[in-house]
Amino acid sequence: MRPPPRARRRSLQNRSGGASSSQPPSAASSSRSTGTCNAVLAPFFAAQLFPGGGTASLLVAYAGFAVGFVARPLGSALIGRLADKRGRRFGLTLSMSVIAAASLLLAVIPSRDDIGIWAAVLVVVARLVQGLAYGGETPTVAAYVTETAPPRHRFLFSGISYGGIIIGSLLSFGVVTVLNAVVGADALADGAWRWGFVLAAVIGVAAVWVRRCAPESDAYEQETAAHGTQRPPVREVFTRHPLACAALFLMSVGGTVAFYFSLVYLPVYAEHVGAADQASASSFMTVVFAVTLVAMLLAGMLTDRVGAIPVLRGAYLALFLGMLPLMIGLEAGAIGFHTVAIALAVLVAVPVATTNVLSGLLFPIAVRAVGAGIVGASAIALFGGTFPLLAEALTAAGHTSAIPYYVAATMALALAGTFVAARVPGFAAASRPSGSGRATDSEEDQ
């Protein structure tokens, strides 16, 4: 049965992300400092927790980092489905509770000198648990922000909400900087790295409290009132919304590789090519993340005024055209590390700022969390989580110079994704300024 006309109009409005009341984005802010901690602190804890020593330990540590991403699509299917059926607040609280618990486990895992191979096993288990939670948290945040942000400022709210991951990354590099200054590099590698995960656990507990107090999305409640808690089978995400799936996958590939290369792996790359010392480069990343936060807010405001598609195309095109010249200049010493890092941060801020609302607008409310989650998590698992491992493997094989070419290729895929997104029924209108109302009629035919 179709809902009554009034309920149906509300349902259609909600599918495009229109919000009847705006909530502060703090409840949906993504506190993913632990995920970044794994990548940032891997060079320091690798020798303590993983066998092999030297480059071998670091490769295994990055492999453990990648394992967490493998679990993300499953987490999207499980927690994302619960968020579509039981509410956004439930999904947000559950996922963050699991993340905080896994963070604490990483902080207290004994070294391999104490428990042998079981240290590495426990790290992998913690990363798998985190991956499940992250897989559900990311799309639930996207759904919540899409449904609660004011239509005229939805991309600004998207940038604010995704600022949690940047703040988490900033804290990760900040912890390394402070510990390196206070206790020294030797003590940092000897166990002081654990304080990074302790901080992540504390942030996770604070986020759980905030999310428990957050109001449920009005759009979700109206959809539930009109249609109940029954949701379409997960397979309909792919059978009824193939263009949305393809667009999100391609853009997620470029966005996640750009993020991990520019904001996480860049200090390691700079040391490999002899452009900077990793410790000093990592310390400068605190400045880079501060710049990224400001650039994200500006990118969100620009997108609200201009529209998502032209802004994203400009950013991905600039990254595609500028990646190789920047890296060649960095390696040759013609461009300093600080300049390269700031330039990449400003460009990467655009897809990072828009990602929450972008993924939310591509799917209707009934499958918004599970659809955006499975597709986005699959792209991140295949290309984002494996990036540090792939980059280190290329370096070990003597092909460090191939890394920028790989990054540039993923930017081309993301650019292609913006053209696919423009063909998704309703998305082009919904992503334009004040265009949410026009998205609904065409979305009904998706």
Side-chain angles (χ1 to χ4, degrees):
M1 291 182 62
R2 298 176 72 82
R6 180 177 298 179
R8 183 168 177 263
R9 283 197 298 270
R10 285 202 308 262
S11 174
L12 287 173
Q13 178 187 12
N14 293 335
R15 290 174 72 181
S16 68
S20 58
S21 64
S22 62
Q23 305 295 343
S26 58
S29 294
S30 178
S31 301
R32 267 178 274 168
S33 54
T34 304
T36 309
C37 270
N38 277 273
V40 174
L41 294 176
F44 302 101
F45 68 69
Q48 270 207 330
L49 299 181
F50 293 96
T55 302
S57 292
L58 185 56
L59 283 171
V60 177
Y62 280 138
F65 174 72
V67 162
F69 288 84
V70 175
R72 288 195 181 195
L74 179 58
S76 296
L78 296 176
I79 300 179
R81 190 63 164 175
L82 287 172
D84 282 333
K85 290 176 66 68
R86 298 190 59 179
R88 310 312 188 198
R89 181 173 57 188
F90 178 84
L92 289 170
T93 304
L94 173 63
S95 58
M96 188 52 67
S97 298
V98 175
I99 290 169
S103 303
L104 186 59
L105 174 60
L106 285 166
V108 300
I109 291 176
S111 69
R112 64 183 175 89
D113 290 339
D114 295 324
I115 60 173
I117 193 63
W118 287 105
V121 172
L122 287 175
V123 172
V124 172
V125 169
R127 285 294 298 155
L128 284 171
V129 172
Q130 283 180 343
L132 287 170
Y134 286 141
E137 189 232 16
T138 301
T140 307
V141 168
Y144 189 82
V145 174
T146 302
E147 293 161 10
T148 60
R152 288 182 177 273
H153 304 291
R154 55 160 59 107
F155 286 103
L156 173 60
F157 272 51
S158 176
I160 295 172
S161 68
Y162 214 83
I165 190 172
I166 303 300
I167 293 173
S169 301
L170 177 62
L171 289 173
S172 298
F173 280 105
V175 167
V176 172
T177 301
V178 171
L179 290 176
N180 191 50
V182 173
V183 302
D186 291 340
L188 184 59
D190 197 38
W193 53 265
R194 297 179 185 275
W195 288 106
F197 292 114
V198 171
L199 177 61
V202 171
I203 292 173
V205 171
V208 170
W209 178 79
V210 170
R211 293 177 177 191
R212 282 177 58 86
C213 299
E216 184 55 82
S217 157
D218 286 349
Y220 172 82
E221 291 186 335
Q222 291 171 3
E223 177 75 9
T224 301
H227 301 289
T229 57
Q230 286 296 109
R231 296 292 182 260
V234 174
R235 66 175 179 273
E236 288 195 11
V237 170
F238 306 100
T239 59
R240 294 195 61 188
H241 312 289
L243 287 177
C245 291
L248 182 58
F249 185 86
L250 291 172
M251 288 187 288
S252 295
V253 167
T256 189
V257 171
F259 177 88
Y260 280 105
F261 176 71
S262 304
L263 300 181
V264 177
Y265 188 76
L266 189 61
V268 180
Y269 176 83
E271 183 174 66
H272 286 330
V273 299
D277 173 73
Q278 183 181 339
S280 61
S282 295
S283 297
F284 183 72
M285 293 305 290
T286 56
V287 177
V288 172
F289 280 111
V291 171
T292 304
L293 276 173
V294 175
M296 284 172 60
L297 299 181
L298 295 175
M301 290 188 287
L302 177 65
T303 306
D304 282 324
R305 293 180 62 87
V306 178
I309 292 178
V311 172
L312 280 169
R313 283 178 183 168
Y316 284 130
L317 181 61
L319 283 166
F320 173 69
L321 296 177
M323 184 60 63
L324 293 179
L326 284 173
M327 294 305 106
I328 291 172
L330 178 67
E331 185 172 359
I335 308 177
F337 173 81
H338 294 180
T339 301
V340 170
I342 294 295
L344 290 179
V346 171
L347 292 175
V348 170
V350 176
V352 172
T354 58
T355 187
N356 276 336
V357 168
L358 181 75
S359 58
L361 290 177
L362 284 167
F363 295 91
I365 191 171
V367 294
R368 179 165 286 159
V370 70
I374 292 176
V375 176
S378 297
I380 293 171
L382 291 172
F383 292 90
T386 59
F387 178 77
L389 176 62
L390 173 64
E392 282 301 300
L394 287 172
T395 297
H399 301 301
T400 304
S401 59
I403 296 174
Y405 288 90
Y406 175 79
V407 177
T410 64
M411 296 307 102
L413 292 177
L415 184 61
T418 64
F419 289 92
V420 179
R423 298 182 58 194
V424 175
F427 175 78
S431 63
R432 287 197 296 263
S434 303
S436 58
R438 287 175 289 174
T440 55
D441 292 335
S442 56
E443 257 191 86
E444 178 70 8
D445 296 329
Q446 269 191 271

